[in-house]
């Protein structure tokens, strides 16, 4: 049975920035229904647009340098017990996590799922390279699983969050671009101006059909031909996991390394397939860099670029997969495909991620311990991976059914499993 830390009526939640769209608003409303007090700090007009309860909205209009002191005052004045945020490495969030740690406050961190796209990540204190999973061994996970009974859930045949994700991103940036007069000091946590962000979201939304056709043709050509191939799984250069937990300064640097070591190590009849992230919008000139590197190393006829989209078709016949720390690496491991990861990743365990030099990996990659990976995956599904999504209404409902009780619980998901107090989980249905 789930143990509640303190009565909900004694909990005061401070929401900071969340995923684009209405998820944080719906989550705050449900926490109020449970008896908690909820406040929201907004840093721009996009934050304001997606928070319906105006009485609980607190605008932050000062320069970012004033944020640490403002947060200290807010925590004291409101009696904050819990801080809720999406991604723990944004500058305003990193300050909040540090202050919460000093004061013994709970920090509820949401992220895209480690087993995306059908799950969302919920942890306390930190995510990705700051997650408790980073220091947790597979042996410890195996021992904790003795307290769980969850069977491996089947992913639904169709989820449908991608269009909503892009739509809400465009809408959010439109508000920031057109209605941000009250937030003169706002600076985005990414390098691009908001107007450029909006144009990229809008262009991606409009070009989705054409890009889907191009992607389908490229995938068909690769699967039609008989060559063995290795996959390079790209992520977004501006994503927090790449920026905060990667040894590379840019995706271009990573791609150039992959092409160089592929040319040095891979058998001459093998090919390299570079797969873009599904939300890649062209801000990083990866495709041009790939073409230059392939030509420079004499492998232009053996290197292919595929736009983002579903990965399963390409993974089905891949010899290996290389990534910085993309969660797509876990899809490869699930299929028993050897994986080489360069960055800090929650799945970078010695049992199933290669420590070979990259050229040697391309020459003869060692297979992962699939039994150990399946135990690790089951552990995630029993703890931090919550069925649902942030963007489509059906997946939001699925997420809310689980995550409020997890937030109100005395222990975080990892401790709850070890102590046998984890809440029961619904199985992910085939159609949601």
């Amino acid at each position: 049975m789930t143990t509640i830390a303190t009565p909900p009526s004694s909990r005061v939640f401070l929401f900071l920035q969340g995923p684009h769209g209405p998820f944080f608003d719906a989550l705050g409303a449900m926490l109020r229904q449970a008896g908690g007090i909820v406040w929201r700090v907004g840093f721009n007009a996009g934050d304001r647009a997606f928070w319906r309860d105006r009485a609980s909205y607190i605008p932050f209009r000062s320069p970012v340098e004033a944020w640490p002191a403002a947060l200290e005052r807010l925590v004291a004045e409101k009696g904050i017990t819990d801080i809720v945020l999406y991604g723990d490495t944004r500058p305003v969030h990193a300050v909040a996590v540090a202050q919460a740690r000093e004061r013994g406050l709970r920090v509820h961190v949401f992220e895209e799922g480690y087993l995306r796209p059908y799950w969302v990540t919920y942890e306390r204190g930190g995510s990705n390279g700051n997650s408790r999973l980073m220091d947790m061994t597979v042996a410890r996970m195996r021992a904790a699983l003795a307290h769980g009974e969850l069977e491996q859930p089947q992913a639904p045949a169709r989820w449908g969050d991608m269009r909503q994700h892009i739509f809400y991103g465009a809408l959010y940036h439109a508000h920031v671009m057109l209605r941000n007069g009250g937030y003169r000091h706002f600076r985005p946590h990414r390098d691009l101006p908001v107007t450029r962000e909006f144009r990229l979201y809008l262009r991606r939304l409009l070009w989705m059909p054409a890009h889907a056709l191009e992607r389908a043709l490229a995938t068909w050509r690769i699967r039609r031909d008989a060559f063995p191939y290795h996959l390079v799984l790209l992520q977004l250069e501006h994503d927090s996991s790449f920026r905060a937990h990667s040894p590379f300064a840019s995706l271009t640097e990573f791609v150039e390394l992959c092409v160089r070591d592929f040319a040095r190590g891979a058998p001459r009849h093998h090919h390299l397939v570079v797969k873009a992230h599904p939300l890649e919008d062209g801000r990083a000139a990866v495709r041009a860099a790939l073409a230059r590197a392939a030509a420079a190393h004499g492998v232009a006829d053996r290197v292919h670029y595929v736009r983002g989209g579903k990965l399963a078709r390409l993974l089905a016949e891949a010899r290996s997969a290389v990534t910085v720390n993309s969660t797509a690496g876990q899809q490869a491991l699930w299929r028993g495909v050897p994986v080489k990861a360069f960055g800090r990743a929650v799945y970078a365990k010695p049992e199933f991620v290669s420590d070979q030099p990259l050229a040697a990996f391309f020459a003869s990659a060692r297979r992962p311990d699939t039994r150990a990976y399946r135990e690790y995956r089951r552990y995630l599904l029993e703890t931090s991976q919550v069925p649902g999504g942030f963007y489509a209404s059906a997946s939001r409902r699925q997420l809310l059914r689980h995550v409020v009780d997890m937030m109100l619980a005395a222990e975080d998901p990892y401790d709850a499993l070890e102590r046998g107090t984890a809440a029961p989980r619904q199985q992910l249905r085939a159609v949601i």
Side-chain angles (χ1 to χ4, degrees):
M1 178 173 292
T2 307
T3 304
I4 301 298
T6 53
S9 58
S10 302
R11 306 278 288 274
V12 183
F13 295 86
L14 180 65
F15 280 64
L16 301 183
Q17 290 193 295
H20 300 147
F23 171 68
F24 260 22
D25 179 72
L27 178 60
M30 192 168 285
L31 287 168
R32 281 193 291 271
Q33 289 177 7
I37 299 172
V38 176
W39 297 96
R40 170 71 189 267
V41 175
F43 298 85
N44 59 52
D47 294 340
R48 174 77 164 73
F50 289 113
W51 190 261
R52 291 180 295 177
D53 183 50
R54 302 312 188 205
S56 62
Y57 181 81
I58 303 169
F60 178 76
R61 306 182 190 278
S62 303
V64 69
E65 292 78 14
W67 170 240
L71 179 60
E72 285 185 8
R73 289 194 301 271
L74 189 56
V75 167
E77 290 172 3
K78 303 296 186 184
I80 302 298
T81 61
D82 298 73
I83 296 178
V84 187
L85 48 84
Y86 171 72
D88 62 342
T89 60
R90 298 181 186 189
V92 294
H93 289 175
V95 168
V97 171
Q99 289 196 17
R101 191 175 293 122
E102 292 174 1
R103 291 164 174 76
L105 308 180
R106 298 178 196 86
V107 179
H108 306 271
V109 182
F110 285 89
E111 255 294 0
E112 304 295 339
Y114 295 147
L115 301 177
R116 69 184 70 170
Y118 309 114
W119 290 271
V120 157
T121 297
Y122 166 73
E123 296 180 280
R124 295 190 187 176
S127 65
N128 291 314
N130 297 322
S131 168
R132 289 182 59 188
L133 290 168
M134 295 300 299
D135 299 320
M136 203 175 295
T137 64
V138 173
R140 181 177 172 184
M141 296 177 188
R142 187 179 297 125
L145 286 171
H147 301 288
E149 299 179 353
L150 182 69
E151 295 181 2
Q152 293 285 352
Q154 296 299 312
R158 183 175 182 275
W159 194 245
D161 259 21
M162 186 57 66
R163 277 194 296 270
Q164 290 90 336
H165 190 165
I166 296 172
F167 169 77
Y168 283 127
L171 186 58
Y172 178 91
H173 286 96
H175 279 285
V176 176
M177 184 174 65
L178 301 173
R179 305 180 62 187
N180 221 44
Y183 300 86
R184 293 185 300 109
H185 298 289
F186 170 70
R187 297 292 180 271
H189 63 281
R190 294 172 180 163
D191 296 332
L192 286 185
V194 173
T195 51
R196 175 69 172 151
E197 286 267 9
F198 171 74
R199 287 197 297 269
L200 288 171
Y201 269 101
L202 185 60
R203 186 179 70 177
R204 189 166 60 207
L205 194 62
L206 295 174
W207 280 88
M208 281 184 75
H211 289 168
L213 178 60
E214 178 188 341
R215 177 173 65 247
L217 288 172
T219 303
W220 175 77
R221 292 189 189 105
I222 291 165
R223 299 187 71 207
R224 175 199 61 186
D225 294 333
F227 52 75
Y229 61 86
H230 307 264
L231 273 175
V232 175
L233 304 174
L234 299 183
Q235 51 212 106
L236 298 176
E237 189 175 270
H238 57 272
D239 186 74
S240 61
S241 60
F242 183 88
R243 293 168 66 96
H245 306 298
S246 162
F248 300 103
S250 67
L251 273 181
T252 298
E253 183 184 341
F254 170 61
V255 165
E256 289 172 347
L257 171 68
C258 289
V259 172
R260 185 198 70 188
D261 282 13
F262 170 77
R264 291 176 177 177
R268 296 185 64 178
H269 62 292
H270 284 205
H271 287 228
L272 189 69
V273 176
V274 178
K275 166 118 177 13
H277 188 278
L279 293 174
E280 179 56 56
D281 54 20
R283 71 182 69 187
V286 174
R287 197 167 189 172
L290 176 67
R292 288 194 302 270
H297 292 284
V299 291
D301 59 336
R302 296 163 55 202
V303 173
H304 313 268
Y305 177 87
V306 179
R307 286 189 179 274
K310 290 186 178 180
L311 184 58
R313 290 182 180 178
L314 289 173
L315 272 177
E317 298 180 21
R319 289 298 182 91
S320 71
V322 183
T323 184
V324 177
N325 52 10
S326 171
T327 55
Q330 299 214 53
Q331 295 187 45
L333 290 170
W334 175 245
R335 291 166 173 80
V337 176
V339 171
K340 173 73 176 177
F342 283 90
R344 286 170 53 80
V346 294
Y347 60 84
K349 307 297 181 186
E351 289 87 350
F352 35 81
V353 171
S354 176
D355 61 355
Q356 296 169 270
L358 185 56
F361 180 79
F362 281 130
S364 181
R366 290 196 290 266
R367 294 185 64 180
D369 181 341
T370 54
R371 179 173 296 180
Y373 176 72
R374 287 171 188 269
E375 290 174 320
Y376 164 86
R377 186 176 187 275
R378 183 184 160 209
Y379 181 82
L380 291 189
L381 291 171
E382 291 260 22
T383 54
S384 61
Q385 301 308 286
V386 190
F390 297 125
Y391 307 105
S393 58
S395 51
R396 277 200 309 276
R397 289 194 298 269
Q398 184 81 355
L399 177 55
L400 288 166
R401 289 186 187 110
H402 294 275
V403 81
V404 174
D405 286 345
M406 296 174 71
M407 294 175 69
L408 294 174
E411 296 147 329
D412 80 358
Y414 304 124
D415 291 336
L417 181 63
E418 287 189 346
R419 295 169 188 170
T421 61
R425 294 284 188 93
Q426 281 182 300
Q427 294 297 311
L428 193 62
R429 300 193 300 275
V431 178
I432 293 183

